[in-house]
Amino acid sequence: MPNWCNNSVDITGPIDVIQAAWNRTDDGSNLLEAITPIGEWDYGVAIDSWGTKWDINGEGLEFVDNQDGTASITGWFDSAWSPPLQAFATFCDNNPGVNAEIFYQEEGMCFVGRWNNVEGDDCHEYAEATSKTIREYVPEYLVDEFDLEYNLEQWEELDEEME
């Protein structure tokens, strides 16, 4: 059973490209195969091509026509073990005018980050952090994005109650 990585994504580009990708999904499910096809699933190929071992359930994703010749696929999903950064990088590289940004957190392994196809990956580990020291490990924008101070404080209080 994998740890689950929580992801929020915004993929924006020419409406024909984004619409075609969305149409290859099942309402957002199997998005990775739609944007970076691997054909028949194979563990090694999935890891190399997508950055995670399984495709995603897209129940938290939606297609948006931005009414300006562009469209977006936006929302949230969970992925196994790690964020599917390679799938989004390949999709952006293969489709001029497409940009993607993904925020991700894997609580079990204590890492959090943001990736986009312009600036790359900004990943931070925080296994040694406490609610009082989290900002020494993780930039403020990610602490705020995932409410890490509060969440760590809740874990600390729970630990105290269990002792």
Side-chain angles (χ1 to χ4, degrees):
M1 185 66 145
N3 286 357
W4 291 103
C5 183
N6 309 114
N7 305 268
S8 63
V9 68
D10 183 24
I11 308 166
T12 302
I15 192 166
D16 59 324
V17 174
I18 303 300
Q19 179 77 62
W22 184 257
N23 288 346
R24 289 189 299 267
T25 73
D26 181 18
D27 289 330
S29 293
N30 304 312
L31 177 64
L32 304 182
E33 178 66 22
I35 65 172
T36 307
I38 63 171
E40 188 174 330
W41 181 89
D42 173 82
Y43 177 82
V45 173
I47 294 293
D48 291 343
S49 299
W50 296 338
T52 189
K53 66 180 183 175
W54 293 322
D55 210 324
I56 62 170
N57 175 326
E59 70 183 37
L61 296 175
E62 66 177 334
F63 173 84
V64 178
D65 180 343
N66 297 322
Q67 302 296 313
D68 62 0
T70 69
S72 300
I73 297 173
T74 188
W76 62 270
F77 62 89
D78 292 332
S79 57
W81 299 110
S82 58
L85 303 183
Q86 188 58 48
F88 294 110
T90 300
F91 185 62
C92 291
D93 289 347
N94 291 341
N95 294 282
V98 172
N99 292 299
E101 180 170 64
I102 183 169
F103 286 85
Y104 58 89
Q105 179 185 27
E106 211 285 33
E107 290 180 295
M109 298 303 292
C110 298
F111 69 83
V112 63
R114 179 191 74 180
W115 174 91
N116 66 54
N117 61 301
V118 175
E119 298 170 332
D121 195 19
D122 185 26
C123 182
H124 301 271
E125 296 181 11
Y126 61 92
E128 304 298 320
T130 68
S131 61
K132 294 186 180 13
T133 65
I134 187 64
R135 291 178 192 275
E136 297 170 23
Y137 293 84
V138 177
E140 186 171 344
Y141 80 97
L142 289 171
V143 171
D144 294 343
E145 176 76 22
F146 293 99
D147 208 5
L148 293 175
E149 250 174 7
Y150 174 79
N151 290 335
L152 286 171
E153 188 176 275
Q154 296 301 302
W155 278 106
E156 291 161 358
E157 289 176 8
L158 185 60
D159 281 348
E160 285 178 17
E161 290 175 13
M162 300 297 282
E163 290 178 358

